[in-house]
PDB file of all heavy atoms in Angstrom:
ATOM      1  N   ARG A 182     -34.243  13.886 -21.694  1.00  0.00           N
ATOM      2  CA  ARG A 182     -33.940  14.926 -20.714  1.00  0.00           C
ATOM      3  C   ARG A 182     -32.533  15.441 -20.972  1.00  0.00           C
ATOM      4  O   ARG A 182     -31.603  14.652 -21.178  1.00  0.00           O
ATOM      5  CB  ARG A 182     -34.037  14.347 -19.298  1.00  0.00           C
ATOM      6  CG  ARG A 182     -35.444  13.944 -18.868  1.00  0.00           C
ATOM      7  CD  ARG A 182     -35.409  12.877 -17.777  1.00  0.00           C
ATOM      8  NE  ARG A 182     -35.140  11.560 -18.327  1.00  0.00           N
ATOM      9  CZ  ARG A 182     -34.688  10.532 -17.608  1.00  0.00           C
ATOM     10  NH1 ARG A 182     -34.438  10.678 -16.335  1.00  0.00           N
ATOM     11  NH2 ARG A 182     -34.475   9.369 -18.185  1.00  0.00           N
ATOM     12  N   PRO A 183     -32.312  16.746 -20.957  1.00  0.00           N
ATOM     13  CA  PRO A 183     -30.984  17.273 -21.272  1.00  0.00           C
ATOM     14  C   PRO A 183     -30.022  17.184 -20.092  1.00  0.00           C
ATOM     15  O   PRO A 183     -30.411  17.344 -18.927  1.00  0.00           O
ATOM     16  CB  PRO A 183     -31.267  18.737 -21.630  1.00  0.00           C
ATOM     17  CG  PRO A 183     -32.495  19.075 -20.854  1.00  0.00           C
ATOM     18  CD  PRO A 183     -33.314  17.817 -20.795  1.00  0.00           C
ATOM     19  N   ARG A 184     -28.765  16.933 -20.404  1.00  0.00           N
ATOM     20  CA  ARG A 184     -27.704  17.067 -19.411  1.00  0.00           C
ATOM     21  C   ARG A 184     -27.405  18.557 -19.196  1.00  0.00           C
ATOM     22  O   ARG A 184     -27.788  19.392 -19.998  1.00  0.00           O
ATOM     23  CB  ARG A 184     -26.451  16.354 -19.904  1.00  0.00           C
ATOM     24  CG  ARG A 184     -26.588  14.833 -19.996  1.00  0.00           C
ATOM     25  CD  ARG A 184     -25.644  14.214 -21.010  1.00  0.00           C
ATOM     26  NE  ARG A 184     -26.101  14.475 -22.373  1.00  0.00           N
ATOM     27  CZ  ARG A 184     -25.504  13.990 -23.457  1.00  0.00           C
ATOM     28  NH1 ARG A 184     -24.420  13.249 -23.349  1.00  0.00           N
ATOM     29  NH2 ARG A 184     -25.995  14.261 -24.649  1.00  0.00           N
ATOM     30  N   LEU A 185     -26.662  18.840 -18.138  1.00  0.00           N
ATOM     31  CA  LEU A 185     -26.247  20.226 -17.925  1.00  0.00           C
ATOM     32  C   LEU A 185     -25.027  20.574 -18.767  1.00  0.00           C
ATOM     33  O   LEU A 185     -24.985  21.628 -19.395  1.00  0.00           O
ATOM     34  CB  LEU A 185     -25.951  20.471 -16.437  1.00  0.00           C
ATOM     35  CG  LEU A 185     -27.063  21.143 -15.635  1.00  0.00           C
ATOM     36  CD1 LEU A 185     -26.648  21.313 -14.183  1.00  0.00           C
ATOM     37  CD2 LEU A 185     -27.443  22.488 -16.229  1.00  0.00           C
ATOM     38  N   ALA A 186     -24.017  19.697 -18.785  1.00  0.00           N
ATOM     39  CA  ALA A 186     -22.815  19.975 -19.581  1.00  0.00           C
ATOM     40  C   ALA A 186     -22.285  18.673 -20.157  1.00  0.00           C
ATOM     41  O   ALA A 186     -22.198  17.660 -19.449  1.00  0.00           O
ATOM     42  CB  ALA A 186     -21.745  20.657 -18.735  1.00  0.00           C
ATOM     43  N   PHE A 187     -21.930  18.713 -21.439  1.00  0.00           N
ATOM     44  CA  PHE A 187     -21.360  17.555 -22.136  1.00  0.00           C
ATOM     45  C   PHE A 187     -20.099  18.014 -22.851  1.00  0.00           C
ATOM     46  O   PHE A 187     -20.147  18.860 -23.744  1.00  0.00           O
ATOM     47  CB  PHE A 187     -22.379  16.994 -23.135  1.00  0.00           C
ATOM     48  CG  PHE A 187     -21.865  15.839 -23.953  1.00  0.00           C
ATOM     49  CD1 PHE A 187     -21.103  14.833 -23.383  1.00  0.00           C
ATOM     50  CD2 PHE A 187     -22.152  15.746 -25.313  1.00  0.00           C
ATOM     51  CE1 PHE A 187     -20.629  13.758 -24.139  1.00  0.00           C
ATOM     52  CE2 PHE A 187     -21.701  14.687 -26.076  1.00  0.00           C
ATOM     53  CZ  PHE A 187     -20.937  13.684 -25.488  1.00  0.00           C
ATOM     54  N   ILE A 188     -18.961  17.458 -22.434  1.00  0.00           N
ATOM     55  CA  ILE A 188     -17.665  17.792 -23.024  1.00  0.00           C
ATOM     56  C   ILE A 188     -17.093  16.515 -23.615  1.00  0.00           C
ATOM     57  O   ILE A 188     -16.975  15.505 -22.928  1.00  0.00           O
ATOM     58  CB  ILE A 188     -16.702  18.368 -21.971  1.00  0.00           C
ATOM     59  CG1 ILE A 188     -17.334  19.576 -21.268  1.00  0.00           C
ATOM     60  CG2 ILE A 188     -15.373  18.755 -22.609  1.00  0.00           C
ATOM     61  CD1 ILE A 188     -16.550  20.067 -20.056  1.00  0.00           C
ATOM     62  N   GLN A 189     -16.723  16.558 -24.896  1.00  0.00           N
ATOM     63  CA  GLN A 189     -16.220  15.351 -25.539  1.00  0.00           C
ATOM     64  C   GLN A 189     -14.999  15.652 -26.399  1.00  0.00           C
ATOM     65  O   GLN A 189     -14.792  16.779 -26.860  1.00  0.00           O
ATOM     66  CB  GLN A 189     -17.317  14.716 -26.393  1.00  0.00           C
ATOM     67  CG  GLN A 189     -17.826  15.585 -27.531  1.00  0.00           C
ATOM     68  CD  GLN A 189     -18.909  14.901 -28.354  1.00  0.00           C
ATOM     69  OE1 GLN A 189     -18.915  13.673 -28.508  1.00  0.00           O
ATOM     70  NE2 GLN A 189     -19.839  15.679 -28.889  1.00  0.00           N
ATOM     71  N   ASN A 190     -14.179  14.616 -26.585  1.00  0.00           N
ATOM     72  CA  ASN A 190     -13.031  14.668 -27.492  1.00  0.00           C
ATOM     73  C   ASN A 190     -12.123  15.857 -27.199  1.00  0.00           C
ATOM     74  O   ASN A 190     -11.622  16.515 -28.110  1.00  0.00           O
ATOM     75  CB  ASN A 190     -13.511  14.743 -28.948  1.00  0.00           C
ATOM     76  CG  ASN A 190     -14.400  13.584 -29.332  1.00  0.00           C
ATOM     77  OD1 ASN A 190     -14.088  12.428 -29.038  1.00  0.00           O
ATOM     78  ND2 ASN A 190     -15.535  13.877 -29.955  1.00  0.00           N
ATOM     79  N   SER A 191     -11.885  16.121 -25.921  1.00  0.00           N
ATOM     80  CA  SER A 191     -11.128  17.318 -25.548  1.00  0.00           C
ATOM     81  C   SER A 191     -10.006  16.960 -24.584  1.00  0.00           C
ATOM     82  O   SER A 191     -10.178  16.162 -23.664  1.00  0.00           O
ATOM     83  CB  SER A 191     -12.054  18.354 -24.913  1.00  0.00           C
ATOM     84  OG  SER A 191     -13.082  18.743 -25.816  1.00  0.00           O
ATOM     85  N   ASN A 192      -8.865  17.596 -24.794  1.00  0.00           N
ATOM     86  CA  ASN A 192      -7.696  17.396 -23.950  1.00  0.00           C
ATOM     87  C   ASN A 192      -7.419  18.662 -23.139  1.00  0.00           C
ATOM     88  O   ASN A 192      -7.600  19.774 -23.639  1.00  0.00           O
ATOM     89  CB  ASN A 192      -6.470  17.068 -24.825  1.00  0.00           C
ATOM     90  CG  ASN A 192      -5.219  16.887 -24.001  1.00  0.00           C
ATOM     91  OD1 ASN A 192      -5.151  16.000 -23.152  1.00  0.00           O
ATOM     92  ND2 ASN A 192      -4.232  17.730 -24.233  1.00  0.00           N
ATOM     93  N   ASP A 193      -6.948  18.480 -21.907  1.00  0.00           N
ATOM     94  CA  ASP A 193      -6.607  19.599 -21.026  1.00  0.00           C
ATOM     95  C   ASP A 193      -7.849  20.443 -20.742  1.00  0.00           C
ATOM     96  O   ASP A 193      -8.026  21.541 -21.271  1.00  0.00           O
ATOM     97  CB  ASP A 193      -5.486  20.446 -21.631  1.00  0.00           C
ATOM     98  CG  ASP A 193      -5.089  21.621 -20.751  1.00  0.00           C
ATOM     99  OD1 ASP A 193      -5.399  21.595 -19.549  1.00  0.00           O
ATOM    100  OD2 ASP A 193      -4.474  22.570 -21.282  1.00  0.00           O
ATOM    101  N   VAL A 194      -8.719  19.891 -19.902  1.00  0.00           N
ATOM    102  CA  VAL A 194      -9.997  20.523 -19.565  1.00  0.00           C
ATOM    103  C   VAL A 194     -10.015  20.831 -18.074  1.00  0.00           C
ATOM    104  O   VAL A 194      -9.571  20.015 -17.256  1.00  0.00           O
ATOM    105  CB  VAL A 194     -11.174  19.591 -19.916  1.00  0.00           C
ATOM    106  CG1 VAL A 194     -12.488  20.138 -19.395  1.00  0.00           C
ATOM    107  CG2 VAL A 194     -11.240  19.353 -21.422  1.00  0.00           C
ATOM    108  N   ARG A 195     -10.546  21.990 -17.708  1.00  0.00           N
ATOM    109  CA  ARG A 195     -10.730  22.301 -16.294  1.00  0.00           C
ATOM    110  C   ARG A 195     -12.115  22.896 -16.080  1.00  0.00           C
ATOM    111  O   ARG A 195     -12.483  23.879 -16.724  1.00  0.00           O
ATOM    112  CB  ARG A 195      -9.668  23.258 -15.785  1.00  0.00           C
ATOM    113  CG  ARG A 195      -9.851  23.608 -14.302  1.00  0.00           C
ATOM    114  CD  ARG A 195      -8.695  24.387 -13.728  1.00  0.00           C
ATOM    115  NE  ARG A 195      -7.490  23.584 -13.654  1.00  0.00           N
ATOM    116  CZ  ARG A 195      -6.417  23.915 -12.917  1.00  0.00           C
ATOM    117  NH1 ARG A 195      -6.433  25.020 -12.202  1.00  0.00           N
ATOM    118  NH2 ARG A 195      -5.349  23.147 -12.920  1.00  0.00           N
ATOM    119  N   VAL A 196     -12.853  22.297 -15.151  1.00  0.00           N
ATOM    120  CA  VAL A 196     -14.140  22.827 -14.705  1.00  0.00           C
ATOM    121  C   VAL A 196     -13.952  23.200 -13.247  1.00  0.00           C
ATOM    122  O   VAL A 196     -13.689  22.328 -12.409  1.00  0.00           O
ATOM    123  CB  VAL A 196     -15.267  21.794 -14.871  1.00  0.00           C
ATOM    124  CG1 VAL A 196     -16.592  22.359 -14.368  1.00  0.00           C
ATOM    125  CG2 VAL A 196     -15.393  21.369 -16.336  1.00  0.00           C
ATOM    126  N   SER A 197     -14.061  24.482 -12.925  1.00  0.00           N
ATOM    127  CA  SER A 197     -13.649  24.944 -11.614  1.00  0.00           C
ATOM    128  C   SER A 197     -14.663  25.909 -11.002  1.00  0.00           C
ATOM    129  O   SER A 197     -15.072  26.883 -11.646  1.00  0.00           O
ATOM    130  CB  SER A 197     -12.284  25.647 -11.719  1.00  0.00           C
ATOM    131  OG  SER A 197     -11.825  26.092 -10.475  1.00  0.00           O
ATOM    132  N   GLY A 198     -15.073  25.626  -9.766  1.00  0.00           N
ATOM    133  CA  GLY A 198     -15.866  26.554  -8.989  1.00  0.00           C
ATOM    134  C   GLY A 198     -17.304  26.742  -9.419  1.00  0.00           C
ATOM    135  O   GLY A 198     -17.976  27.666  -8.962  1.00  0.00           O
ATOM    136  N   VAL A 199     -17.812  25.884 -10.280  1.00  0.00           N
ATOM    137  CA  VAL A 199     -19.167  26.034 -10.821  1.00  0.00           C
ATOM    138  C   VAL A 199     -20.169  25.287  -9.942  1.00  0.00           C
ATOM    139  O   VAL A 199     -19.892  24.183  -9.460  1.00  0.00           O
ATOM    140  CB  VAL A 199     -19.240  25.507 -12.272  1.00  0.00           C
ATOM    141  CG1 VAL A 199     -20.657  25.613 -12.817  1.00  0.00           C
ATOM    142  CG2 VAL A 199     -18.270  26.269 -13.165  1.00  0.00           C
ATOM    143  N   ALA A 200     -21.340  25.884  -9.751  1.00  0.00           N
ATOM    144  CA  ALA A 200     -22.441  25.201  -9.058  1.00  0.00           C
ATOM    145  C   ALA A 200     -23.361  24.573 -10.101  1.00  0.00           C
ATOM    146  O   ALA A 200     -23.881  25.272 -10.977  1.00  0.00           O
ATOM    147  CB  ALA A 200     -23.212  26.186  -8.196  1.00  0.00           C
ATOM    148  N   PHE A 201     -23.533  23.267 -10.034  1.00  0.00           N
ATOM    149  CA  PHE A 201     -24.442  22.539 -10.915  1.00  0.00           C
ATOM    150  C   PHE A 201     -25.718  22.250 -10.123  1.00  0.00           C
ATOM    151  O   PHE A 201     -25.658  21.661  -9.045  1.00  0.00           O
ATOM    152  CB  PHE A 201     -23.824  21.223 -11.377  1.00  0.00           C
ATOM    153  CG  PHE A 201     -22.666  21.374 -12.325  1.00  0.00           C
ATOM    154  CD1 PHE A 201     -21.411  21.759 -11.869  1.00  0.00           C
ATOM    155  CD2 PHE A 201     -22.818  21.117 -13.680  1.00  0.00           C
ATOM    156  CE1 PHE A 201     -20.334  21.877 -12.737  1.00  0.00           C
ATOM    157  CE2 PHE A 201     -21.757  21.233 -14.563  1.00  0.00           C
ATOM    158  CZ  PHE A 201     -20.507  21.622 -14.089  1.00  0.00           C
ATOM    159  N   LYS A 202     -26.863  22.622 -10.673  1.00  0.00           N
ATOM    160  CA  LYS A 202     -28.108  22.493  -9.905  1.00  0.00           C
ATOM    161  C   LYS A 202     -29.255  21.994 -10.787  1.00  0.00           C
ATOM    162  O   LYS A 202     -29.433  22.456 -11.912  1.00  0.00           O
ATOM    163  CB  LYS A 202     -28.479  23.856  -9.305  1.00  0.00           C
ATOM    164  CG  LYS A 202     -29.760  23.885  -8.478  1.00  0.00           C
ATOM    165  CD  LYS A 202     -29.990  25.271  -7.908  1.00  0.00           C
ATOM    166  CE  LYS A 202     -31.264  25.340  -7.063  1.00  0.00           C
ATOM    167  NZ  LYS A 202     -32.475  25.201  -7.912  1.00  0.00           N
ATOM    168  N   ASP A 203     -30.005  21.047 -10.278  1.00  0.00           N
ATOM    169  CA  ASP A 203     -31.280  20.609 -10.854  1.00  0.00           C
ATOM    170  C   ASP A 203     -31.189  20.219 -12.328  1.00  0.00           C
ATOM    171  O   ASP A 203     -31.998  20.630 -13.161  1.00  0.00           O
ATOM    172  CB  ASP A 203     -32.344  21.705 -10.679  1.00  0.00           C
ATOM    173  CG  ASP A 203     -32.743  21.889  -9.227  1.00  0.00           C
ATOM    174  OD1 ASP A 203     -32.359  21.048  -8.390  1.00  0.00           O
ATOM    175  OD2 ASP A 203     -33.436  22.880  -8.928  1.00  0.00           O
ATOM    176  N   SER A 204     -30.209  19.416 -12.655  1.00  0.00           N
ATOM    177  CA  SER A 204     -30.074  18.953 -14.032  1.00  0.00           C
ATOM    178  C   SER A 204     -31.243  18.058 -14.430  1.00  0.00           C
ATOM    179  O   SER A 204     -31.751  17.268 -13.625  1.00  0.00           O
ATOM    180  CB  SER A 204     -28.765  18.182 -14.200  1.00  0.00           C
ATOM    181  OG  SER A 204     -28.590  17.776 -15.542  1.00  0.00           O
ATOM    182  N   GLY A 205     -31.659  18.158 -15.683  1.00  0.00           N
ATOM    183  CA  GLY A 205     -32.720  17.289 -16.182  1.00  0.00           C
ATOM    184  C   GLY A 205     -32.290  15.836 -16.267  1.00  0.00           C
ATOM    185  O   GLY A 205     -33.107  14.918 -16.104  1.00  0.00           O
TER     186      GLY A 205
END
Side-chain angles (χ1 to χ4, degrees):
R182 293 156 281 160
R184 293 155 286 184
L185 261 179
F187 177 42
I188 305 170
Q189 62 180 328
N190 302 314
S191 300
N192 179 61
D193 180 19
V194 172
R195 179 171 292 196
V196 179
S197 181
V199 178
F201 291 76
K202 180 178 180 291
D203 291 349
S204 183

